[in-house]
Amino acid sequence: MFSLASYWAFLKARYNYFEHLTLNLYITGQQIILYLVVSGISVLIGGDDFYQDIVPMTISMGYIFWVYFQFFRSLHPILRIVLTFTTYLINLILTILLLFLAGIIEALTAAL
């Protein structure tokens, strides 16, 4: 879903959906490694939820901004930052719509 959001946000960059999918799969793979490292360190030092949740999420978001900033070099720097925020916003809207739709389907099937 995040790939669809980035595709819509960065339409001017003229990459197709599968290029966005490839880019976001690469980013996700790197984020898995990041979460494994941070979780391992957190377990070793006895960290709390802050180190297991907030720190990796913040680093991951920063990493996405950095990758998008490097990948979409043809666009103006400020536009790249704004469109990355827009990607997160579109992803949030799509997630809410999908959850709402799932809730409606669940309610309809439960009524049967």
Side-chain angles (χ1 to χ4, degrees):
M1 209 162 31
F2 200 80
S3 297
L4 183 61
S6 70
Y7 174 69
W8 285 343
F10 286 94
L11 275 175
K12 286 188 174 188
R14 298 188 184 254
Y15 289 102
N16 64 41
Y17 173 73
F18 291 105
E19 290 168 320
H20 282 269
L21 185 62
T22 303
L23 173 67
N24 287 303
L25 286 171
Y26 169 78
I27 291 171
T28 302
Q30 299 297 313
Q31 288 174 333
I32 289 170
I33 294 169
L34 170 75
Y35 278 102
L36 286 172
V37 169
V38 172
S39 294
I41 292 171
S42 178
V43 167
L44 288 175
I45 64 171
D48 56 5
D49 288 342
F50 177 78
Y51 292 106
Q52 291 181 351
D53 296 333
I54 304 299
V55 171
M57 184 180 65
T58 303
I59 294 171
S60 293
M61 288 178 73
Y63 181 67
I64 289 174
F65 273 87
W66 180 76
V67 170
Y68 280 11
F69 197 82
Q70 297 295 314
F71 189 78
F72 298 109
R73 287 187 180 157
S74 63
L75 302 174
H76 190 273
I78 293 175
L79 183 60
R80 288 182 269 179
I81 293 169
V82 169
L83 291 177
T84 303
F85 277 115
T86 304
T87 299
Y88 275 100
L89 181 63
I90 292 170
N91 186 55
L92 177 65
I93 291 169
L94 288 174
T95 301
I96 290 170
L97 288 173
L98 186 64
L99 290 172
F100 182 71
L101 181 62
I104 290 174
I105 292 171
E106 176 67 26
L108 290 174
T109 58
L112 295 176

